[in-house]
Amino acid sequence: MIILGVILLIIGLVAGISILWTIGIILVAIGAVLWILGAIGHAVGGRRHYW
């Protein structure tokens, strides 16, 4: 999700399309939050591992 957000940011910047820029920022932010939650061991999306 972070990679897709960065790609959209670059395309939005180069093409001058502000909606791609906005969607890219949102995807990067959500991807970073999910990555951090997954890294600290918190259940993301209802997935739990019992080991």
Side-chain angles (χ1 to χ4, degrees), residues 22-48:
T22 304
I23 293 171
I25 290 173
I26 292 170
L27 285 179
V28 168
I30 292 173
V33 168
L34 291 176
W35 182 28
I36 291 170
L37 286 175
I40 63 172
H42 196 277
V44 177
R47 294 182 176 92
R48 294 183 188 170

Side-chain angles (χ1 to χ4, degrees), residues 3-13 17 20-21 23-24 27:
I3 295 172
L4 179 63
V6 170
I7 291 170
L8 287 177
L9 281 172
I10 293 170
I11 293 172
L13 181 65
I17 303 172
L20 289 181
W21 179 257
I23 293 171
L27 285 179

